[in-house]
Amino acid sequence: QVFDFACVFLSIMCQHGMGGLMATPAFLGYRWRWASALACHAALCEAGWELQDTLDKLYIITYGTKEQKRQNPPPILVGVFIHHLLGLSLVIPMNIFYHDDSSYHEMVFLLQGAAFFVLFLQNYGYTLDIQTKQGLFQMKITAVLTWIIIFYTRVWQFTRVGWGLMHRIYLDGSIAIVCVGALGILCMA
């Protein structure tokens, strides 16, 4: 059971790492067409993962064993579905209408790249022996780094860039995207 969870956890980390890597050139300001295309593909990579995960959870709810259902309690499932709302509802419209928008690229990087670093630090933390002074010190450092990354990328920048992007989309008259985007940003922040 722990091994299975660790394998899934590592696959989630790798998916976010690849997505973050694909979004990096556009995030860094390269305005070449390939950089924009990679950022859009990174968003699709995340949406694909979220769709697969949502379908997997729905299958477990409907057809899963008692043990599988016990491992996926309703409060966790609600959190998962809220977490997946942003990617599942906005990636396709954003890729169609705002594929070259630098704020969109930054949002993709914030979601993918930051998640990779946080998951990596968390996974590293699992390997530390906190019974030793050195292991406990390293755990404290990784916890502080994780908190800083989450605060900066998921609270500060995510909210600032997300609302700026929603304002720009509102000015373009895309009210449906704004409504879904605002709900997604509120759920993710």
Side-chain angles (χ1 to χ4, degrees):
Q1 210 174 31
V2 173
F3 179 77
D4 292 341
F5 176 76
C7 291
V8 169
F9 192 82
L10 288 173
S11 70
I12 294 169
M13 186 174 71
C14 289
Q15 182 276 315
H16 283 87
M18 287 304 300
L21 190 61
M22 288 190 294
T24 299
F27 170 71
L28 293 176
Y30 294 101
R31 296 295 164 239
W32 299 309
R33 295 189 72 169
W34 62 266
S36 179
L38 277 175
C40 290
H41 278 72
L44 286 171
C45 182
E46 174 68 7
W49 168 264
E50 291 172 346
L51 178 61
Q52 171 276 143
D53 192 46
T54 300
L55 293 174
D56 183 57
K57 301 295 186 221
L58 290 173
Y59 179 85
I60 287 170
I61 291 169
T62 308
Y63 302 108
T65 65
K66 286 184 180 182
E67 179 62 21
Q68 288 173 318
K69 290 178 181 181
R70 188 188 65 73
Q71 293 172 354
N72 291 278
I76 296 293
L77 294 175
V78 168
V80 167
F81 294 140
I82 288 171
H83 176 80
H84 291 341
L85 173 69
L86 191 64
L88 289 175
S89 60
L90 285 177
V91 166
I92 300 295
M94 291 299 294
N95 277 1
I96 291 170
F97 299 112
Y98 296 95
H99 53 85
D100 290 326
D101 191 287
S102 61
S103 294
Y104 175 51
H105 300 157
E106 184 172 355
M107 292 288 286
V108 172
F109 179 81
L110 291 173
L111 290 170
Q112 295 280 300
F116 168 75
F117 288 112
V118 167
L119 291 170
F120 177 81
L121 288 170
Q122 184 180 11
N123 202 45
Y124 174 70
Y126 292 151
T127 67
L128 297 173
D129 179 5
I130 59 171
Q131 300 300 317
T132 67
K133 198 172 189 175
Q134 182 182 4
L136 183 60
F137 178 73
Q138 288 179 0
M139 176 60 83
K140 288 178 181 179
I141 295 296
T142 60
V144 168
L145 286 173
T146 299
W147 187 88
I148 290 169
I149 292 169
I150 289 173
F151 179 80
Y152 181 75
T153 61
R154 292 290 170 99
V155 179
W156 182 259
Q157 272 305 91
F158 186 80
T159 304
R160 188 183 71 73
V161 174
W163 288 115
L165 184 57
M166 289 299 103
H167 182 258
R168 185 167 30 259
I169 294 169
Y170 172 79
L171 293 176
D172 288 347
S174 300
I175 303 304
I177 294 176
V178 170
C179 291
V180 173
L183 178 62
I185 289 170
L186 286 173
C187 289
M188 288 295 288

